[in-house]
Amino acid sequence: MKRVLILLIFSLSLFAHDLHHKVLNQEAVVVAFSFGGEGDFSYQSYEVYAPKSDIPFAVGRSDKLSRVVFIPDRKGEWRVKVMSEDGHGAEIKVVIDKEFGVKEYSQSFFERFQKIFVGVALIFGIFGLLTIIKRRKN
Amino acid sequence: MHIPDGFISPLTYMPAYAATVTLWYVTYTKTKLDSDKISFLAALSALSFVFMMIAVPLPGGTSAHLSGVALLSIVFGPWLGFAAISMVLVIEALFFGEGGVTTLGINVLAIGFIGCFSSYYVYRFLKKINENIALFLAGWFGMNMPALFVAAVLGLQPLIASAEGKPLFFPFDIETTVAALMIPHALIGIVEGVVTVVLYRFLRKNFKVIFDER
């Protein structure tokens, strides 16, 4: 009886090796990378850092569609660092508010100034046409 | 300063459109553009566009931007300045949603027409006294006169379009709009004035060809 009891007690420790899992439906932050096309930064390494932390919160590789997905557990400025073997990469800052929503994020140079680039190009294009018309008239 | 769609009643923006189109026609008949100067006009128009696209945050949660209106009208004259600023405003409204399409006429009248002509005549009257002061005040007035016009147009909306005492479009009265627009623009006008002086001096020194044939 004593032996059976000992065996039962030790058998309980076998459950510790059974990895449990839960499937949750949670809101995540998705950072999509691209060089202009789709899926061109896929399967590249990334590191996600929580606010005021130097130890990565998550590491992995971007998915087939060049996305890095993480679920923040606290508010503040999160950093997403991506890098490819050929030396391309970026560090994106994502500010998470207390409701775990994205408050703001660092935009790329092009994203920040694309309106200005396009507008200036349009203006020069119009004046270029005007010059051609004027010269033809003359 | 660019008024978006939905803030202004058709009773206001329709006549504004008519006035703007008339002024465009007058500009077409009055102006003659040298093909040599087109590149300079293009560069200053592009600069004005860039100025207008960069909003500077101001205390009180509002923002304002430079315009480059005074510089354009002083260098090329008020009619060409008006034409160039009109083009910039049309591009902003149609391609980038900066300022409404229905309110385009009002924005052109304010920033383009009032801005160019007020700054040009301020410069002309004061340049005999002191050119730097004339340039600075041209910049300041080129920013603040359009702001005053926009404040008046917005503030008059409750009087122009209301139903049973309830404003149908912009709800705030003229005292509120004048204070809300003029205080920030009085401050940003100082920056516009300084920028006008510096850029005018720079152009005068380095691009004499623009000024020689005037």
Side-chain angles (χ1 to χ4, degrees):
Chain A
M1 186 61 192
K2 205 174 177 183
R3 280 181 185 174
V4 173
L5 201 66
I6 289 165
L7 204 66
L8 269 172
I9 289 166
F10 277 102
S11 69
L12 282 173
S13 66
L14 288 173
F15 287 110
H17 295 285
D18 181 19
L19 186 62
H20 297 273
H21 69 269
K22 275 193 270 184
V23 177
L24 305 167
N25 204 351
Q26 283 187 308
E27 222 170 89
V29 175
V30 181
V31 187
F33 293 92
S34 85
F35 288 113
E38 246 182 47
D40 45 10
F41 205 74
S42 47
Y43 311 123
Q44 303 298 343
S45 305
Y46 75 79
E47 289 168 359
V48 177
Y49 292 88
K52 294 170 190 166
S53 172
D54 293 327
I55 300 163
F57 177 82
V59 292
R61 285 185 175 269
S62 58
D63 67 11
K64 190 190 170 191
L65 301 176
S66 309
R67 298 174 303 192
V68 171
V69 182
F70 68 98
I71 302 170
D73 65 343
R74 72 196 88 153
K75 67 169 192 171
E77 190 180 271
W78 288 69
R79 286 181 297 132
V80 179
K81 212 169 165 180
V82 287
M83 57 240 117
S84 63
E85 285 82 358
D86 62 356
H88 286 101
E91 189 177 306
I92 311 298
K93 286 175 182 137
V94 183
V95 180
I96 301 296
D97 61 22
K98 59 183 178 191
E99 276 96 32
F100 299 111
V102 176
K103 196 176 166 194
E104 58 181 336
Y105 63 92
S106 52
Q107 293 177 307
S108 69
F109 185 78
F110 179 75
E111 206 175 357
R112 215 178 305 151
F113 295 108
Q114 61 180 332
K115 273 186 176 181
I116 291 175
F117 293 147
V118 175
V120 168
L122 263 172
I123 289 168
F124 278 111
I126 291 167
F127 277 107
L129 272 174
L130 200 63
T131 310
I132 293 167
I133 293 165
K134 277 235 150 215
R135 290 210 171 139
R136 274 196 182 165
K137 269 188 185 173
N138 292 342
Chain B
M1 203 193 304
H2 300 50
I3 308 175
D5 284 321
F7 279 27
I8 304 292
S9 65
L11 271 174
T12 317
Y13 68 67
M14 293 303 280
Y17 252 114
T20 299
V21 172
T22 311
L23 285 170
W24 281 341
Y25 179 73
V26 175
T27 308
Y28 176 73
T29 56
K30 269 187 176 288
T31 53
K32 196 171 170 277
L33 183 60
D34 231 349
S35 54
D36 298 338
K37 286 186 180 172
I38 290 179
S39 53
F40 289 109
L41 187 61
L44 284 193
S45 304
L47 184 71
S48 170
F49 174 82
V50 173
F51 279 163
M52 287 194 209
M53 295 299 278
I54 300 170
V56 183
L58 290 169
T62 183
S63 71
H65 56 76
L66 301 178
S67 69
V69 165
L71 190 68
L72 263 169
S73 65
I74 292 166
V75 173
F76 293 101
W79 287 106
L80 262 182
F82 170 61
I85 293 292
S86 295
M87 189 194 67
V88 168
L89 291 169
V90 168
I91 289 172
E92 284 182 345
L94 298 185
F95 292 93
F96 305 114
E98 297 283 335
V101 174
T102 56
T103 53
L104 180 62
I106 297 167
N107 289 331
V108 168
L109 281 181
I111 305 168
F113 189 72
I114 296 172
C116 284
F117 278 82
S118 60
S119 54
Y120 179 77
Y121 283 106
V122 164
Y123 171 73
R124 257 191 74 173
F125 287 129
L126 296 176
K127 76 170 178 182
K128 286 165 200 161
I129 303 166
N130 183 308
E131 197 175 35
N132 282 338
I133 291 171
L135 287 166
F136 175 81
L137 287 176
W140 194 88
F141 275 96
M143 173 67 64
N144 281 275
M145 294 310 282
L148 188 63
F149 178 75
V150 167
V153 169
L154 285 169
L156 287 173
Q157 291 312 299
L159 300 175
I160 294 169
S162 292
E164 296 163 7
K166 208 177 164 190
L168 295 173
F169 294 91
F170 198 72
F172 299 106
D173 60 17
I174 198 157
E175 286 89 1
T176 313
T177 56
V178 167
L181 264 104
M182 296 315 292
I183 294 168
H185 282 90
L187 296 173
I188 200 89
I190 296 169
V191 184
E192 177 87 9
V194 172
V195 168
T196 307
V197 176
V198 172
L199 285 180
Y200 184 85
R201 290 273 163 230
F202 174 78
L203 291 173
R204 183 114 207 164
K205 193 178 168 192
N206 296 290
F207 299 95
K208 285 179 184 153
V209 67
I210 323 174
F211 300 91
D212 286 349
E213 291 159 27
R214 266 174 54 195

